[in-house]
Amino acid sequence: MRHVGSGTWRGWREATEEALYGPSGFYRGPEGPAGHFRTSVHASPLFAAAVARLLCRVDEALGRPAELAFVDMAAGRGELVTGVLAALPAEVASRARGYAVERADRPAVLDHRIEWLSRPPKGITGLLFANEWLDNVPVEVAEVDATGVPRLVLVRDDDGAERLGEPVAGAEAQWLRRWWPLASEEAPFPGAPSEEVPSEVPSDDLPSKEMVFEGARAEIGLPRDTAWAGAVASLDRGLAVAVDYAHFAAARPPFGTLTGFREGRETAPVPDGSCDITAHVALDACALPGGRVVTQRAALRALGVSGARPALSLAATDPTAYVRALAGAGEAAELTATGGLGDFGWLLQPVGIPNPMIDGLLADEPPADGLPVDVPDLLVDVPDHEEQ
């Protein structure tokens, strides 16, 4: 356990940057993210196999280029890129080139064919996949004071104590007004992250100043929007996918989502390098024109991951295969579970090609009832039977 706190008061963005990615930061540790929390990548090899099938779909949309890139953003120890390359059909694998983008040092045991980078490569053709990256892009936190003014929250980096700083101003204030207006306790916060939502909320629906209440908090997602736009810009042609726990304009959490994780347990977010510091992502704010969000549940089912139990008849004819299929069904159920990994958002951002998920595998996915269908640029799709 590393402690880098010095008792200094500073904004959450600067404090988190040092605590996670500084020389003694949380993500520099030898155990990597898998030593502290479980992502879809670590839950089952079915996830990497599904991403490999998506890469094959992108390959088809690109016309099977001579070189097909797969970029694993926030690669950890390279688990996803390793699994994806291993799951590809031989013909696609012969043209595939893997990139792992990560600030930590390259693992000694990583396949030598995978290129290890601190930034995404430029001008690539293929699939850029960011699984739980944006939630670890540090952001400032704002809180409404007793006079109704949103102020930056300062944190003491050795114990996580907080106090209010200067009023939010400039581009950060503009981002709050557009994407996360701080609302009163009486203001409704309907829906859930899996519901279909427009990319912008009509101004008549935004909370007024009179609805602001002391203690309301928001994470200012501007750095994440910028980081995602930069990652998408690295693609010449292909598809960029961001997978994360998310919220949307119709259902922002009134007190924010900033938290910490250590050794598999949620903990207070103290920016001393001893724990992960994370916050849910405003994926609708990140989305660029043409982007679309679906749940992980819908995406994985469209890519062939199902939690359906195998037929009992298989147990009689091939008990070993039945046990293996049953285990796979359990892993698939975890990846698509309501209230868990299945509720994660997949932001799909095509570049220079039709969206291979929406225009192909998810073309027939119906939106949730009672919500607009023709929403420009951003939709979140949920099958009717999963709406509740």
Side-chain angles (χ1 to χ4, degrees):
M1 187 179 296
R2 299 158 302 282
H3 296 275
V4 297
S6 60
T8 302
W9 289 95
R10 44 187 170 171
W12 267 108
R13 184 182 180 189
E14 180 186 351
T16 302
E17 178 72 27
E18 177 68 18
L20 296 184
Y21 306 114
S24 300
F26 178 80
Y27 280 108
R28 302 289 188 180
E31 69 276 13
H36 294 272
F37 47 83
R38 180 181 174 89
T39 71
S40 296
V41 178
H42 309 117
S44 171
L46 294 175
F47 188 80
V51 176
R53 288 192 286 274
L54 177 56
L55 179 57
C56 290
R57 296 282 305 186
V58 173
D59 183 44
E60 292 177 12
L62 290 167
R64 296 182 173 83
E67 182 174 297
L68 178 68
F70 177 72
V71 181
D72 181 7
M73 294 293 298
R77 296 302 177 262
E79 298 96 336
L80 179 60
V81 63
T82 299
V84 168
L85 296 180
L88 291 173
E91 191 281 324
V92 179
S94 68
R95 295 182 285 107
R97 183 172 182 181
Y99 299 89
V101 180
E102 178 59 66
R103 296 199 193 186
D105 294 335
R106 179 190 181 100
V109 298
L110 189 69
D111 189 324
H112 70 277
R113 295 171 296 177
I114 298 171
E115 190 168 350
W116 193 264
L117 303 170
S118 60
R119 298 176 182 272
K122 298 294 184 182
I124 61 165
T125 299
L127 173 62
L128 181 145
F129 201 89
N131 185 62
E132 296 196 43
W133 167 47
L134 291 174
D135 67 279
N136 285 129
V137 173
V139 293
E140 296 288 5
V141 177
E143 181 175 320
V144 176
D145 68 11
T147 67
V149 176
R151 293 180 177 272
L152 295 175
V153 177
L154 305 181
V155 60
R156 192 163 56 197
D157 59 16
D158 59 351
D159 62 2
E162 293 182 336
R163 69 186 186 193
L164 297 185
E166 295 297 314
V168 180
E172 292 174 332
Q174 293 175 7
W175 189 94
L176 277 182
R177 282 194 294 270
R178 180 178 183 185
W179 294 110
W180 197 335
L182 296 172
S184 75
E185 291 177 299
E186 290 73 31
F189 290 92
S194 59
E195 287 188 325
E196 181 180 38
V197 294
S199 58
E200 295 186 27
V201 178
S203 58
D204 291 344
D205 294 339
L206 295 179
S208 66
K209 286 185 178 180
E210 289 73 27
M211 298 171 69
V212 171
F213 70 99
E214 182 179 2
R217 287 169 68 109
E219 291 99 31
I220 304 174
L222 183 61
R224 294 170 172 179
D225 300 357
T226 303
W228 178 242
V232 173
S234 69
L235 280 172
D236 182 41
R237 293 174 64 229
L239 179 69
V241 181
V243 180
D244 240 308
Y245 35 87
H247 48 64
F248 301 91
R252 301 283 188 227
F255 299 103
T257 62
L258 186 73
T259 191
F261 284 92
R262 181 190 302 118
E263 298 177 351
R265 296 178 180 273
E266 188 169 8
T267 186
V270 178
D272 63 355
S274 67
C275 67
D276 182 32
I277 297 174
T278 178
H280 290 41
V281 182
L283 278 182
D284 49 348
C286 295
L288 301 170
R292 192 165 181 174
V293 180
V294 298
T295 63
Q296 174 158 298
R297 180 168 46 258
L300 289 184
R301 287 177 177 173
L303 291 167
V305 177
S306 170
R309 293 171 62 91
L312 283 174
S313 58
L314 182 62
T317 59
D318 191 340
T320 302
Y322 176 78
V323 171
R324 187 164 52 245
L326 194 62
E331 293 175 1
E334 180 181 0
L335 290 172
T336 59
T338 300
L341 294 173
D343 290 345
F344 275 39
W346 281 41
L347 169 55
L348 307 167
Q349 195 80 54
V351 178
I353 62 170
N355 192 322
M357 288 286 287
I358 298 303
D359 298 328
L361 296 173
L362 289 174
D364 297 326
E365 280 290 323
D369 289 340
L371 291 167
V373 175
D374 298 320
V375 179
D377 298 337
L378 178 65
L379 293 173
V380 178
D381 290 328
V382 182
D384 289 338
H385 70 280
E386 291 178 4
E387 183 186 356
Q388 295 304 319

